[in-house]
Amino acid sequence: MTDTLDQILHLLSEGKITVADAKKNLCLHSIKEIKEKAKLDLNRKRRTGVPEAILAEGKREEDVATFACEMALENGYALVTRVKESCIKEIKKEAKKEFEVIYNELAKTVLVKQQDYIFEYSGTIGVIAAGTADIQVAEEAKVAAEVMGCEVITCYDVGIAGLHRLFEPLYTMVEREVSAIVVVAGMEGALPSVVASLVDVPVVGVPTSVGYGFGKGGIGALMTMLQTCSPGLAVVNIDNGFGAGVYAALISK
C-alpha cells in the first residue's frame, strides 16, 4: 500500500498509477485494522480537521501501546488520553527509540510522535480553570489544542470565589488576541458565563465532576452553563477537556 495521501496523488498526477489504483490505495489508507481489535481512522484529520485520539480508559495497556505507535507511524503522531501511569511503561517499551514519548502528568495524556514531526501553527487560544481541582481537565484541553497547532495561554485557580484574580490574565489573553477561550469549572460552574460576558471571542465551557450535594458529579455545573444568559458560550460534556480543546482549536483555524 502506498504510504501517504500525498504520494498517492503525486503518483496519479505523474501517470504512474491508474485512477482505479489510486482509488484502491485511498480506500486502503483510510482505515487500518490492527490485530482485529482496532480500526484506526487515519484520514480523520484531513477529512474533519480533528485528529483521532486514543482513549486509554477501559483498554488493555499493551493494546493502547500498539495502537499509539501504529498511529504515530502512519500520521506522525498519536495522542492518548486518560492514561494510567502503568500504561506509560508499555507505551515507552513499544515506542523504543523510534518515537518521542511526552507524558503530561496533569492531563493524563501521552503524545507519541516521530522525532522530527512538527505541528503546523494554527493560532492562539486561552484555557482557564476555576479551581486547582479543575486543572486536569484544563490540561487535557490544552494538549488537545496543541496537537492541532495552537499556542495555548493558561491561567488556573481564578474562580468566582475570588473574582479579582481573573482580570489580569483575561486582559493578557485579549491583548494576545486569542481566538477562543476554554473555561473549566466545577461546583456551581459560573465562571464561563462571567468570562463570556467580558470578551468578544467564543467561550467554551467545560463542567467538571468537582462538587458535592445536589450538584454532585458535575450536574450542577453543567446545568448552570446550559442556563447561561451570556451569549457566546458553548458547552461540552462533563470533564470533556479533549472536546473543548478541539472545538476551540477549530475556531482558531
Side-chain angles (χ1 to χ4, degrees):
M1 184 182 75
T2 308
D3 289 337
T4 68
L5 292 178
D6 288 340
Q7 289 175 354
I8 295 169
L9 295 174
H10 280 306
L11 290 172
L12 178 62
S13 67
E14 293 169 359
K16 294 180 179 179
I17 59 174
T18 66
V19 172
D21 289 334
K23 184 177 179 180
K24 178 182 177 181
N25 278 325
L26 287 171
C27 289
L28 289 171
H29 189 75
S30 294
I31 296 178
K32 182 173 184 177
E33 188 167 344
I34 301 175
K35 297 182 179 179
E36 299 181 350
K37 292 181 180 179
K39 294 178 175 63
L40 302 183
D41 188 354
L42 302 175
N43 286 340
R44 183 177 299 181
K45 185 176 181 180
R46 289 178 180 269
R47 188 176 67 249
T48 68
V50 179
E52 181 178 18
I54 299 169
L55 176 66
E57 206 169 68
K59 296 183 176 72
R60 295 174 64 216
E61 293 173 353
E62 53 266 42
D63 288 340
V64 171
T66 299
F67 302 158
C69 290
E70 287 288 342
M71 185 176 289
L73 183 64
E74 294 285 345
N75 285 351
Y77 74 95
L79 176 62
V80 188
T81 64
R82 309 294 170 95
V83 182
K84 295 180 180 179
E85 285 193 29
S86 56
C87 191
I88 307 299
K89 295 180 181 178
E90 287 294 331
I91 294 174
K92 288 183 176 179
K93 180 181 175 182
E94 184 78 19
K96 298 178 182 177
K97 294 183 179 180
E98 295 180 46
F99 302 103
E100 182 181 1
V101 178
I102 303 170
Y103 174 45
N104 184 316
E105 186 177 1
L106 289 174
K108 304 300 180 188
T109 61
V110 173
L111 179 63
V112 181
K113 63 185 284 292
Q114 295 178 15
Q115 300 286 351
D116 58 349
Y117 188 86
I118 299 175
F119 296 101
E120 185 179 352
Y121 176 73
S122 61
T124 304
I125 69 162
V127 174
I128 294 173
T132 54
D134 304 312
I135 289 176
Q136 179 179 335
V137 176
E139 281 287 304
E140 186 180 84
K142 174 178 177 284
V143 171
E146 285 176 339
V147 300
M148 291 182 64
C150 282
E151 178 186 355
V152 182
I153 304 170
T154 59
C155 175
Y156 299 155
D157 197 22
V158 291
I160 64 167
L163 196 57
H164 61 284
R165 299 172 295 177
L166 172 67
F167 299 112
E168 183 177 347
L170 195 60
Y171 178 87
T172 299
M173 290 182 184
V174 173
E175 189 176 43
R176 292 280 300 276
E177 297 184 339
V178 296
S179 300
I181 301 175
V182 174
V183 184
V184 184
M187 301 300 285
E188 83 298 325
L191 188 61
S193 293
V194 172
V195 173
S197 73
L198 296 170
V199 298
D200 63 349
V201 297
V203 174
V204 186
V206 190
T208 70
S209 49
V210 176
Y212 45 83
F214 177 76
K216 66 181 180 180
I219 299 299
L222 175 61
M223 292 178 65
T224 296
M225 293 181 197
L226 291 175
Q227 289 286 92
T228 184
C229 61
S230 294
L233 172 62
V235 185
V236 299
N237 204 357
I238 297 169
D239 291 335
N240 188 12
F242 174 78
V246 165
Y247 189 64
L250 283 172
I251 293 171
S252 182
K253 290 177 69 175

